[in-house]
Each structure stands twice: as C-alpha cells, then as structure tokens.
Amino acid sequence: MGGEGGFGKGGFGDKGKGKGKKGKGKGKGKGKGKEEKAWVPLTKLGRLVNDGKINSVEEIYLHSLPIKEPEIIDHFFAPGTLKDEMMKIHPVQKMTSAGQTNRFVCYVLVGDQNGHIGLGAKCAKEVATAIRGGIISAKLNLIPVRRGYWGNKIGLPHTVPMKVNGKCGSVRARLVPAPRGSGIVGSPVMKKMMAFAGINDCFTCSCGHTRTTANFAKATFEALRHTYSYLTPDLWKPTHFTKSPFQEFTDYLAQSKKVYAEA
C-alpha cells in the first residue's frame, strides 16, 4: 500500500509539472507545425512511395519490404480510413537508487475494417506520449489479413479461410471458419480485433491466461498473420515473379540520392 500511495503522489506531481511545460511547448510549436507539414522521407521505400512509384501497400507486402516510417501507411490510407483504439494502458514501476520511476505501457490497435490490422505497444513517462507512440508502432506493424468462405463461394469473403492459431506467453488463440451470419463467437477483445480486420463470422477457441489482454491480443494478431502463411489449392497457379521496387527503380534511387546530397 505504501508503494501505491507513493506512486499516486509522485505521478500526479510529475504530471502537473509536465503538463505545464508541455503547454508552453505546444503554444510555441503550433506555427512551426503548419510550415513543416511536408513529409521528407528518410528511407528508400519512403522516397519511392512519396514519388508515386509504388501504387499500393500490397506491392510492399508482396516483396516483404520492411516499413520503417508511419507516413508510408498514411499515404496509402485516406484520412479517417484507419481507425485506432487503445486496447490497454497500465503503469509499470522500476526501483532505482533514487526511488521508484513510473512509466505507462499502452497497447494500440489500428485497422481499416477491410483486411488490414496492426498492433503496437509503447512505454513512456506520459500517457499521451505512450498513446502516440503506440499508434505509430501499430502502423509500422500493419499486416494484411486473408479472408475466405465457410461453404459456397457466394458474395464477399466473410470469415477466415482456414483454421489458424497463434500464441504469446501462456495464451493460445485459435480461429475457426464459421457460416455466414454466425458473427464473432468470442470475448470482447477478440470481437474488437476481428471487426478491425474486417472478419464478420468466426468461431474462436483460446486457453491460457487470457485475462492478460496484451498477450491475448498478440496471440490473436499472430493467428491473423498466419492466414497468409498457407498455400491453398487456389494459389497453385504458376507464379509470375516481378522485380522488387528497389531493383526496378535502382537508377532513380541513385539519381535522387545525389540531388538530396547537393540540396
């Protein structure tokens, strides 16, 4: 109880000071933000996306290119398309020689409700910073989700294409295809994640300490990631390999590199 009391006092005291400083910073920075709105890409992929050489996020997934800038995701999804929601936020403490240091861990979910979902986590001293960092982390971890049918291929895909499972810590999550109209048979966290991924019908099964929201969300996320890991008969057609964007636009990247250097 003594530790909690100390945390409460320290937390509020620090927060008060932090907010004051932050307020000053915000006031000064408002004008600057409007001027420096243009995105200056830092990676080769960012440069290709910014110059319109890559037309969809699927091209990036096809060549398994790592996304290091959240602006790449913002470029492909119109404002308001990607929704974000905080799954969990909780304080963590570390004992140091000066006493306890308090920080907040935030887990954020992003998705377009149409086959893309991302899960991110961030630890920071301030709640607002943790949430902001969590959203950026979730965008960088955005993955495609494959959807399929339970029976006849009528209408749009509505469920997971096959039984998939994921695990994190002691939690095991399993997703099973369900007939149209079943809805999501699962816990509130599972329902939220399926809605963000754009899956309408699904049976779920889980075991382990599912009350640990973070691990449960990560296990479900891994299961959704596995939907594209299976080679089903409808994907047995001959693969026509295309060049990676880095290989295709290698001359352009080398040329623009010199321009950036001169500028």
Side-chain angles (χ1 to χ4, degrees), residues 153-166:
K153 294 182 179 178
I154 301 168
L156 295 170
H158 61 100
T159 184
V160 286
M162 73 285 290
K163 293 175 186 174
V164 286
N165 60 4

PDB file of all heavy atoms in Angstrom, residues 153-166:
ATOM      1  N   LYS A 153     -18.827 -20.343 -52.341  1.00  0.00           N
ATOM      2  CA  LYS A 153     -18.224 -19.020 -52.541  1.00  0.00           C
ATOM      3  C   LYS A 153     -19.259 -18.067 -53.130  1.00  0.00           C
ATOM      4  O   LYS A 153     -19.237 -17.736 -54.309  1.00  0.00           O
ATOM      5  CB  LYS A 153     -17.000 -19.141 -53.430  1.00  0.00           C
ATOM      6  CG  LYS A 153     -15.887 -19.937 -52.767  1.00  0.00           C
ATOM      7  CD  LYS A 153     -14.646 -20.017 -53.615  1.00  0.00           C
ATOM      8  CE  LYS A 153     -13.571 -20.801 -52.875  1.00  0.00           C
ATOM      9  NZ  LYS A 153     -12.351 -20.965 -53.673  1.00  0.00           N
ATOM     10  N   ILE A 154     -20.173 -17.634 -52.256  1.00  0.00           N
ATOM     11  CA  ILE A 154     -21.237 -16.712 -52.673  1.00  0.00           C
ATOM     12  C   ILE A 154     -21.014 -15.377 -51.960  1.00  0.00           C
ATOM     13  O   ILE A 154     -20.790 -15.344 -50.754  1.00  0.00           O
ATOM     14  CB  ILE A 154     -22.631 -17.276 -52.306  1.00  0.00           C
ATOM     15  CG1 ILE A 154     -22.846 -18.628 -52.996  1.00  0.00           C
ATOM     16  CG2 ILE A 154     -23.731 -16.289 -52.662  1.00  0.00           C
ATOM     17  CD1 ILE A 154     -24.034 -19.397 -52.479  1.00  0.00           C
ATOM     18  N   GLY A 155     -21.070 -14.292 -52.709  1.00  0.00           N
ATOM     19  CA  GLY A 155     -20.902 -12.974 -52.086  1.00  0.00           C
ATOM     20  C   GLY A 155     -19.438 -12.694 -51.752  1.00  0.00           C
ATOM     21  O   GLY A 155     -18.520 -13.320 -52.288  1.00  0.00           O
ATOM     22  N   LEU A 156     -19.236 -11.754 -50.846  1.00  0.00           N
ATOM     23  CA  LEU A 156     -17.878 -11.350 -50.465  1.00  0.00           C
ATOM     24  C   LEU A 156     -17.316 -12.277 -49.388  1.00  0.00           C
ATOM     25  O   LEU A 156     -18.083 -12.861 -48.611  1.00  0.00           O
ATOM     26  CB  LEU A 156     -17.892  -9.908 -49.933  1.00  0.00           C
ATOM     27  CG  LEU A 156     -18.266  -8.830 -50.952  1.00  0.00           C
ATOM     28  CD1 LEU A 156     -18.488  -7.502 -50.249  1.00  0.00           C
ATOM     29  CD2 LEU A 156     -17.195  -8.690 -52.023  1.00  0.00           C
ATOM     30  N   PRO A 157     -15.995 -12.424 -49.310  1.00  0.00           N
ATOM     31  CA  PRO A 157     -15.406 -13.250 -48.234  1.00  0.00           C
ATOM     32  C   PRO A 157     -15.822 -12.703 -46.866  1.00  0.00           C
ATOM     33  O   PRO A 157     -15.859 -11.487 -46.669  1.00  0.00           O
ATOM     34  CB  PRO A 157     -13.903 -13.082 -48.448  1.00  0.00           C
ATOM     35  CG  PRO A 157     -13.747 -12.665 -49.860  1.00  0.00           C
ATOM     36  CD  PRO A 157     -14.967 -11.870 -50.196  1.00  0.00           C
ATOM     37  N   HIS A 158     -16.122 -13.611 -45.932  1.00  0.00           N
ATOM     38  CA  HIS A 158     -16.703 -13.163 -44.660  1.00  0.00           C
ATOM     39  C   HIS A 158     -16.023 -13.760 -43.432  1.00  0.00           C
ATOM     40  O   HIS A 158     -16.253 -13.313 -42.311  1.00  0.00           O
ATOM     41  CB  HIS A 158     -18.194 -13.517 -44.623  1.00  0.00           C
ATOM     42  CG  HIS A 158     -18.453 -14.999 -44.721  1.00  0.00           C
ATOM     43  ND1 HIS A 158     -18.722 -15.763 -43.617  1.00  0.00           N
ATOM     44  CD2 HIS A 158     -18.464 -15.834 -45.785  1.00  0.00           C
ATOM     45  CE1 HIS A 158     -18.884 -17.016 -44.005  1.00  0.00           C
ATOM     46  NE2 HIS A 158     -18.732 -17.094 -45.315  1.00  0.00           N
ATOM     47  N   THR A 159     -15.183 -14.794 -43.618  1.00  0.00           N
ATOM     48  CA  THR A 159     -14.595 -15.458 -42.444  1.00  0.00           C
ATOM     49  C   THR A 159     -13.113 -15.760 -42.723  1.00  0.00           C
ATOM     50  O   THR A 159     -12.594 -15.376 -43.766  1.00  0.00           O
ATOM     51  CB  THR A 159     -15.366 -16.752 -42.111  1.00  0.00           C
ATOM     52  OG1 THR A 159     -14.834 -17.326 -40.923  1.00  0.00           O
ATOM     53  CG2 THR A 159     -15.285 -17.768 -43.232  1.00  0.00           C
ATOM     54  N   VAL A 160     -12.452 -16.431 -41.782  1.00  0.00           N
ATOM     55  CA  VAL A 160     -11.049 -16.808 -42.025  1.00  0.00           C
ATOM     56  C   VAL A 160     -11.023 -17.979 -43.017  1.00  0.00           C
ATOM     57  O   VAL A 160     -11.930 -18.803 -43.018  1.00  0.00           O
ATOM     58  CB  VAL A 160     -10.331 -17.194 -40.698  1.00  0.00           C
ATOM     59  CG1 VAL A 160     -10.031 -15.960 -39.870  1.00  0.00           C
ATOM     60  CG2 VAL A 160     -11.116 -18.206 -39.885  1.00  0.00           C
ATOM     61  N   PRO A 161     -10.018 -18.061 -43.893  1.00  0.00           N
ATOM     62  CA  PRO A 161     -10.033 -19.089 -44.939  1.00  0.00           C
ATOM     63  C   PRO A 161      -9.753 -20.501 -44.440  1.00  0.00           C
ATOM     64  O   PRO A 161     -10.088 -21.478 -45.083  1.00  0.00           O
ATOM     65  CB  PRO A 161      -8.931 -18.638 -45.903  1.00  0.00           C
ATOM     66  CG  PRO A 161      -8.034 -17.779 -45.090  1.00  0.00           C
ATOM     67  CD  PRO A 161      -8.857 -17.171 -44.002  1.00  0.00           C
ATOM     68  N   MET A 162      -9.093 -20.616 -43.275  1.00  0.00           N
ATOM     69  CA  MET A 162      -8.793 -21.943 -42.723  1.00  0.00           C
ATOM     70  C   MET A 162      -8.614 -21.801 -41.214  1.00  0.00           C
ATOM     71  O   MET A 162      -8.588 -20.681 -40.710  1.00  0.00           O
ATOM     72  CB  MET A 162      -7.529 -22.538 -43.373  1.00  0.00           C
ATOM     73  CG  MET A 162      -6.218 -21.910 -42.954  1.00  0.00           C
ATOM     74  SD  MET A 162      -5.877 -20.310 -43.672  1.00  0.00           S
ATOM     75  CE  MET A 162      -5.563 -20.725 -45.362  1.00  0.00           C
ATOM     76  N   LYS A 163      -8.502 -22.930 -40.510  1.00  0.00           N
ATOM     77  CA  LYS A 163      -8.252 -22.858 -39.063  1.00  0.00           C
ATOM     78  C   LYS A 163      -6.828 -22.347 -38.850  1.00  0.00           C
ATOM     79  O   LYS A 163      -5.884 -22.897 -39.424  1.00  0.00           O
ATOM     80  CB  LYS A 163      -8.403 -24.238 -38.424  1.00  0.00           C
ATOM     81  CG  LYS A 163      -9.821 -24.767 -38.454  1.00  0.00           C
ATOM     82  CD  LYS A 163      -9.876 -26.183 -37.912  1.00  0.00           C
ATOM     83  CE  LYS A 163     -11.271 -26.773 -38.076  1.00  0.00           C
ATOM     84  NZ  LYS A 163     -11.323 -28.185 -37.694  1.00  0.00           N
ATOM     85  N   VAL A 164      -6.711 -21.302 -38.050  1.00  0.00           N
ATOM     86  CA  VAL A 164      -5.371 -20.749 -37.778  1.00  0.00           C
ATOM     87  C   VAL A 164      -5.213 -20.566 -36.276  1.00  0.00           C
ATOM     88  O   VAL A 164      -6.203 -20.394 -35.555  1.00  0.00           O
ATOM     89  CB  VAL A 164      -5.148 -19.387 -38.486  1.00  0.00           C
ATOM     90  CG1 VAL A 164      -4.932 -19.571 -39.958  1.00  0.00           C
ATOM     91  CG2 VAL A 164      -6.275 -18.417 -38.212  1.00  0.00           C
ATOM     92  N   ASN A 165      -3.983 -20.621 -35.807  1.00  0.00           N
ATOM     93  CA  ASN A 165      -3.770 -20.369 -34.380  1.00  0.00           C
ATOM     94  C   ASN A 165      -2.513 -19.533 -34.165  1.00  0.00           C
ATOM     95  O   ASN A 165      -1.633 -19.464 -35.014  1.00  0.00           O
ATOM     96  CB  ASN A 165      -3.720 -21.674 -33.573  1.00  0.00           C
ATOM     97  CG  ASN A 165      -2.606 -22.575 -34.019  1.00  0.00           C
ATOM     98  OD1 ASN A 165      -1.811 -22.204 -34.886  1.00  0.00           O
ATOM     99  ND2 ASN A 165      -2.533 -23.753 -33.442  1.00  0.00           N
ATOM    100  N   GLY A 166      -2.497 -18.878 -33.009  1.00  0.00           N
ATOM    101  CA  GLY A 166      -1.359 -18.047 -32.643  1.00  0.00           C
ATOM    102  C   GLY A 166      -1.108 -18.192 -31.162  1.00  0.00           C
ATOM    103  O   GLY A 166      -2.003 -18.597 -30.408  1.00  0.00           O
TER     104      GLY A 166
END
